[in-house]
Amino acid sequence: MVVATENMTSSSVEEQKIWQILQEVKDPEIPVLSIVDLGIVRSVHYLPSNSGEPGVSKRDGRGEVTITPTYSGCPAMDVIRMDIRLKLLEHGYKNITVQQSLSPAWTTDWITEEGKRKLKEFGIAPPNPKQQFCTSEMFKEEAVQCPFCNSYHTKQVSRFGSTACKAVYHCDNCKENFDYFKCH
Amino acid sequence: MNAPNLFQYCLHLADNVLILSQRNSEWCGHGPVLEQDIAITNISLDLLGQARNMYQYAAALYNKLSEEEKSAVEFLVPRPWKIFGRELTEDDLAFLRDERQYLNLLLVELPKGDWALTILRQFFFSAFQIIFYQQLQQREDAQLSAIAEKSLKEVAYHLRWSSEWVVRMGDGTDESNRRIRNALDELWSFTGEMFLPSTYELQVADEGFGVNVALLKETWLQKVSEVFAEARLKVPQQDETSGKSWVQSGGKEGSHTEYLGYILTDMQYLQRTFPDSVW
């Protein structure tokens, strides 16, 4: 019993450390956002090795990171998978596998408040809270705030943008075009 | 559960989205305006992602089949893969199967035509996909249900975009209206195949893992009628007795139009020339 408890504790300590390290893994398309901010890391499980023997580190154990794609065809997923393994390797975690899960499906509501703030600073309008906009109804417009001047006098230029997750908008107030991280 | 049937079913679903993705991607760099070029290629990318999820699942299913089950689906397995001496992967399924081993709808393999044809086909297919995935999400297979759940959000966006374009073209200028009516004449007889279930589809549906597509037709027609009403287009009448409701089919069983061979030649060139090469 005692042994098991110790293992569990040291397991969750390592998992906390891994979550911290994953903050350093950025989305290759939106480098201000970490994959944790973006809400695509779904779980971290870690089983430390039996330490106590000389030369054996806790980080010699095995870990599994589960991620979920933003969009089915997001080409950044393969890069992210590799970046996770490399970043954890830098910190001494050698045996990490990265799994993908599809359900529950990712939603922009999983982007952290911190993530939304960073997006805005970067010049991308953060997603509105998920409302009724993921419907198939035609010509439905949502109010999107300009990330530069905060005006709501904006209009959609294109339903699709430079990546699957963005749309292009124009601000009638400051005349800038900007990306909107569309609600999904 | 009959695993070989499920494997075949997944291939059919994957082939539909892969081939349409490949067709739509022909617009890349050729769209009527930049924003719409980006839109149609983004849709291609979503469809490609859905295809990858399906092929990965199909490959995983195949690798777990018993020898006896494997021989039941022997006719669907890419021949060049057999000498690789390793497990089947998503890429083998996409890049090394022959024309007759592809099980997609004829609708998705037709040439891209003009913008009206591309739009209208996307609309017909998205309107089908949305009701199909809604049903599939409720079915027994956990992975197919997860793929459906994931894809639904994307498809809702595709349907919205393509519906808006159907209205814009139908209720636009004389020229846009003429073009979309031509596209309708061209495509209509290919829409019926979506609702004609093949043997394997029916079997998988009976087991609770798949969807009986015959039951989706009414809902689909209703969706199409709504958008057509806005677009001032007429839904062609399906008169079963007069012979006017002629339906093109065969794709689900591997009998294709001549167009499929050309897409595959293009798409599979690299893996055919350098088998098992890695990016």
Side-chain angles (χ1 to χ4, degrees):
Chain A
M1 275 309 283
V2 177
V3 175
T5 319
E6 268 176 7
N7 265 345
M8 274 166 69
T9 317
S10 93
S11 161
S12 75
V13 167
E14 294 300 315
E15 283 167 7
Q16 284 304 319
K17 285 185 194 159
I18 292 175
W19 276 103
Q20 283 299 320
I21 295 166
L22 291 178
Q23 288 278 4
E24 298 168 34
V25 179
K26 305 299 177 191
D27 179 327
E29 302 273 7
I30 313 162
V32 287
L33 277 193
S34 83
I35 56 173
V36 177
D37 294 330
L38 199 52
I40 65 175
V41 181
R42 304 314 302 156
S43 68
V44 172
H45 292 295
Y46 195 77
L47 204 64
S49 61
N50 278 337
S51 47
E53 288 172 43
V56 175
S57 150
K58 278 183 194 160
R59 297 182 180 195
D60 290 339
R62 293 189 171 277
E64 188 180 279
V65 177
T66 303
I67 56 176
T68 190
T70 53
Y71 284 74
S72 299
C74 181
M77 288 311 281
D78 292 334
V79 179
I80 290 172
R81 201 184 302 249
M82 184 59 81
D83 287 351
I84 290 174
R85 294 187 53 199
L86 287 176
K87 184 59 78 180
L88 288 170
L89 197 59
E90 264 177 44
H91 289 265
Y93 294 97
K94 295 183 200 110
N95 304 314
I96 299 289
T97 51
V98 182
Q99 301 286 347
Q100 177 177 291
S101 81
L102 295 174
S103 176
W106 179 82
T107 156
T108 40
D109 285 354
W110 292 349
I111 300 180
T112 59
E113 286 310 308
E114 175 69 5
K116 286 180 184 162
R117 193 185 57 73
K118 287 183 194 163
L119 271 177
K120 193 174 176 202
E121 263 178 30
F122 192 59
I124 298 174
N128 284 321
K130 195 179 154 203
Q131 301 149 346
Q132 62 275 48
F133 295 106
C134 291
T135 70
S136 56
E137 287 167 56
M138 290 182 283
F139 302 109
K140 212 165 194 176
E141 296 289 337
E142 57 186 310
V144 172
Q145 191 181 26
C146 171
F148 302 112
C149 73
N150 296 326
S151 168
Y152 275 100
H153 292 287
T154 59
K155 61 182 180 226
Q156 189 183 70
V157 177
S158 171
R159 202 172 275 300
F160 292 86
S162 55
T163 62
C165 53
K166 286 176 280 177
V168 182
Y169 274 71
H170 176 77
C171 177
D172 284 335
N173 189 46
C174 71
K175 313 292 181 205
E176 286 287 342
N177 275 3
F178 62 91
D179 274 337
Y180 168 54
F181 203 111
K182 62 199 180 198
C183 142
H184 189 69
Chain B
M1 188 255 300
N2 183 321
N5 269 337
L6 191 59
F7 170 71
Q8 189 169 9
Y9 188 60
C10 291
L11 285 184
H12 158 64
L13 297 180
D15 292 346
N16 276 345
V17 274
L18 177 68
I19 298 300
L20 187 56
S21 165
Q22 183 74 10
R23 268 295 178 233
N24 283 345
S25 71
E26 290 172 22
W27 282 103
C28 188
H30 302 276
V33 286
L34 181 62
E35 288 77 11
Q36 301 312 325
D37 187 307
I38 294 171
I40 194 75
T41 40
N42 260 301
I43 290 175
S44 293
L45 187 61
D46 286 342
L47 296 176
L48 181 66
Q50 295 171 17
R52 284 193 62 186
N53 286 334
M54 291 286 184
Y55 284 130
Q56 283 168 10
Y57 185 47
L61 283 172
Y62 179 84
N63 292 327
K64 275 189 254 162
L65 294 181
S66 68
E67 289 310 313
E68 195 184 330
E69 289 171 327
K70 278 181 180 165
S71 65
V73 287
E74 169 78 14
F75 68 105
L76 293 170
V77 172
R79 275 179 299 151
W81 163 76
K82 291 174 188 167
I83 60 159
F84 296 162
R86 55 158 176 73
E87 291 203 316
L88 191 65
T89 68
E90 51 173 328
D91 282 354
D92 304 324
L93 290 170
F95 296 126
L96 293 171
R97 271 180 310 141
D98 292 328
E99 205 179 334
R100 295 298 296 261
Q101 296 176 308
Y102 262 79
L103 306 175
N104 58 278
L105 298 162
L106 300 178
L107 177 72
V108 300
E109 72 197 36
L110 300 176
K112 77 181 197 303
D114 61 6
W115 187 245
L117 191 128
T118 289
I119 289 299
L120 190 63
R121 166 171 51 197
Q122 188 60 49
F123 168 66
F124 284 154
F125 189 68
S126 295
F128 169 75
Q129 270 195 308
I130 202 159
I131 45 180
F132 175 79
Y133 281 142
Q134 279 163 354
Q135 296 285 318
L136 188 63
Q137 195 186 349
Q138 314 295 329
R139 293 296 181 273
E140 296 288 322
D141 189 280
Q143 185 62 11
L144 284 183
S145 163
I147 296 172
E149 180 189 349
K150 180 77 207 159
S151 311
L152 257 176
K153 291 176 164 202
E154 295 156 8
V155 171
Y157 217 73
H158 303 168
L159 181 57
R160 202 166 137 184
W161 176 84
S162 57
S163 305
E164 287 174 6
W165 267 100
V166 168
V167 173
R168 201 171 280 132
M169 296 199 77
D171 193 17
T173 63
D174 288 347
E175 176 66 4
S176 69
N177 180 274
R178 183 184 66 80
R179 285 187 181 238
I180 200 143
R181 277 189 292 111
N182 283 347
L184 180 59
D185 287 346
E186 196 75 28
L187 294 176
W188 189 254
S189 65
F190 290 93
T191 57
E193 191 185 7
M194 294 192 281
F195 311 103
L196 275 183
S198 59
T199 323
Y200 57 86
E201 279 177 288
L202 279 179
Q203 282 166 352
V204 174
D206 279 349
E207 288 174 340
F209 289 80
V211 178
N212 183 351
V213 287
L215 304 177
L216 304 180
K217 191 171 182 178
E218 283 310 310
T219 322
W220 181 83
L221 264 178
Q222 203 181 330
K223 182 75 209 164
V224 169
S225 306
E226 276 168 30
V227 174
F228 271 26
E230 292 263 347
R232 298 151 65 101
L233 292 170
K234 268 208 256 166
V235 178
Q237 289 308 303
Q238 296 267 59
D239 187 345
E240 306 289 343
T241 48
S242 72
K244 281 181 189 163
S245 62
W246 182 43
V247 170
Q248 298 277 10
S249 62
K252 292 175 176 184
E253 313 285 358
S255 301
H256 292 278
T257 66
E258 67 173 299
Y259 303 115
L260 184 67
Y262 292 96
I263 315 178
L264 295 186
T265 315
D266 213 22
M267 189 180 78
Q268 298 183 332
Y269 171 79
L270 199 104
Q271 282 297 325
R272 294 281 186 186
T273 313
F274 303 100
D276 209 17
S277 57
V278 181
W279 188 242

